[in-house]
Amino acid sequence: MAPPNIVVLTGAGISRESGLHTFRDADGIWAKHRIEDVATPEAFRRDPARVRSFYNARRAGLRDPAVQPNAAHAALAELDARWAGDFLLVTQNVDDLHHRAGSRRLVHMHGELARDRCIYCQVVSPGGGDLTAETRCPACGRAGGMRPHVVWFGEMPLEMERIAAALAACDLFVSIGTSGAVYPAAGFVAEVRGRADTLELNLEPSEGSHLFDEARHGPATRLVPEWVEAMLAKWP
Ligand code: BV8
């Protein structure tokens, strides 16, 4: 029998043990900032400096040498490298820890914190330093229009056709480190349940826990390596 086709969805919880804050935990990002002030197109139109400062601070946090991929990121990268069936890792995270861990069959549906996008020509460029009103687009040369390449609330997530195709073909859907609060990602399990096996690996029950065939609760750095090891033992 062929190895099952797998789709894995991750959220901020998988990066928590790397030292990055989640969004909705008590010490989370939305406990310190209002979404309406920093993570919507209206916020950027109203006060671009405030939005750029919010993302510049998170970029600085991501460049902290103490922030490294953890055992959960590494386990998913190993599964990606060794899995003979279809495999797609869909992350809501805008950090680069999955890529740095070695994941390649990877989609950043909410964009990537470390990359820039020009609102005039839409070209995405490798970011890096702080974004300011003076930052020039390397493609069209214009200043004043550079934003982080991140999907804000009210904006369409990226690569949705590719994600829909993978969900339609998957036999196993695994959700890791996400509260199941943000759509359309939170709706994926409802899309596949009944047709694919569904598993939640999370520190605590998510808002959609009841929709999963199985839910295991604990830290990702324990649950994810255990799950990957069992999958690779069953399908060498
Ligand atoms: C859109 C980038 C449509 C920015 C983010 C109904 C249907 C469809 C849409 C909506 C709807 N109702 C409302 C909407 C609109 C909205 C939405 O869902 N709102 C919510 C608040 C109700 N959705 C949107 O706007 C989306 N776009 O729908 O477009 C459209 C259609 C046509 C044309 C145009 C548009 C866009 C959503 C994307 C927004 N951008 N991020 C940034 O990062 O700054 S969302 C943000 O939330 C992050 O991406 C984050 O990943 C995401 C989800 O949060 P989580 O990752 O789950 O993090 P959270 O803190 O919530 O949870 C962490 C979990 O980890 C917890 O469960 C915790 O227990 C666990 N955990 C903690 N530690 C550990 C752990 N687990 C394991 N181990 C640990 N150690």
Side-chain angles (χ1 to χ4, degrees):
M1 201 174 131
N5 298 330
I6 303 175
V7 173
V8 174
L9 172 70
T10 61
I14 201 169
S15 298
R16 184 70 194 85
E17 292 163 271
S18 294
L20 293 181
H21 281 298
T22 63
F23 290 88
R24 290 167 189 82
D25 288 329
D27 61 348
I29 292 172
W30 301 145
K32 305 180 186 85
H33 302 270
R34 282 170 11 104
I35 287 174
E36 300 76 12
D37 293 336
V38 294
T40 67
E42 294 74 23
F44 187 65
R45 272 193 290 277
R46 185 172 58 247
D47 189 349
R50 176 172 191 172
V51 173
R52 289 188 181 115
S53 154
F54 170 68
Y55 285 98
N56 289 341
R58 285 175 61 195
R59 282 180 167 188
L62 192 50
R63 287 195 299 267
D64 179 339
V67 174
Q68 295 295 328
N70 62 48
H73 296 107
L76 290 179
E78 185 188 7
L79 185 61
D80 180 358
R82 293 175 52 185
W83 195 251
D86 288 352
F87 179 87
L88 186 62
L89 171 52
V90 180
T91 188
Q92 301 173 87
N93 299 342
V94 294
D95 66 54
D96 58 355
L97 296 178
H98 282 306
H99 184 77
R100 283 166 53 190
S103 288
R104 288 300 175 266
R105 292 185 274 183
L106 169 63
V107 169
H108 277 272
M109 67 179 290
H110 291 164
E112 297 172 75
L113 180 59
R115 294 162 74 89
D116 300 341
R117 180 171 3 121
C118 174
I119 64 169
Y120 300 118
C121 71
Q122 299 307 319
V123 167
V124 175
S125 49
D130 284 355
L131 279 175
T132 70
E134 289 70 40
T135 308
R136 283 195 179 282
C137 170
C140 74
R142 293 181 65 170
M146 295 306 276
R147 60 172 280 181
H149 179 50
V150 156
V151 176
W152 286 324
F153 285 92
E155 295 185 321
M156 180 58 99
L158 306 175
E159 301 202 58
M160 288 303 287
E161 290 84 33
R162 181 178 175 195
I163 295 169
L167 290 171
C170 83
D171 308 299
L172 174 58
F173 176 75
V174 184
S175 179
I176 302 170
T178 181
S179 62
V182 173
Y183 290 83
F188 291 166
V189 61
E191 250 179 82
V192 303
R193 69 194 289 254
R195 175 170 52 75
D197 295 333
T198 54
L199 170 65
E200 174 176 88
L201 305 177
N202 208 55
L203 190 62
E204 57 201 13
S206 73
E207 292 187 23
S209 250
H210 61 288
L211 297 171
F212 288 83
D213 300 323
E214 185 188 356
R216 298 175 197 163
H217 299 127
T221 53
R222 174 167 62 77
L223 295 183
V224 179
E226 279 174 359
W227 171 68
V228 167
E229 188 181 342
M231 291 298 286
L232 292 175
K234 188 172 176 186
W235 306 91

